[in-house]
Amino acid sequence: MEVDLVLEPMTVHCAGCGHGGPVTDHLAVVACRRCGAVDVEVTGSDDVVLESITVAAEAKRPQPEAKRPQTKQSQAEGRTRE
């Protein structure tokens, strides 16, 4: 089975100094790491989007041969061989 996930990581951009980057902890969404300004814009999300699931078809197993009902003749042959 194969699962494809799409992650759009959260990023921040500071309006004060222009610094931007990925959100690595909860403080990054409150204040700029470079200048400390609180005028930061957060983009992206911490959501996970399931894009697709691929399931391989199970290989067909050969069916066991069905037992044929014994005829009177095959029953008699079976008794003589024992």
Side-chain angles (χ1 to χ4, degrees):
M1 176 170 34
E2 182 179 321
V3 177
D4 292 326
L5 300 176
V6 176
L7 305 173
E8 184 181 343
M10 292 176 71
T11 58
V12 293
H13 178 78
C14 177
C17 71
H19 177 71
V23 172
T24 55
D25 61 35
H26 66 285
L27 295 176
V29 298
V30 178
C32 176
R33 292 201 168 269
R34 181 182 288 164
C35 71
V38 293
D39 189 12
V40 293
E41 180 183 350
V42 180
T43 59
S45 69
D46 59 354
D47 293 341
V48 176
V49 177
L50 176 60
E51 189 170 272
S52 68
I53 297 176
T54 304
V55 179
E58 191 173 317
K60 290 188 177 183
R61 296 181 188 163
Q63 296 294 324
E65 290 185 28
K67 292 185 178 180
R68 291 184 286 169
Q70 290 186 338
T71 62
K72 288 184 180 183
Q73 181 180 358
S74 61
Q75 288 175 349
E77 290 173 358
R79 286 191 205 130
T80 59
R81 291 184 183 163
E82 293 177 358

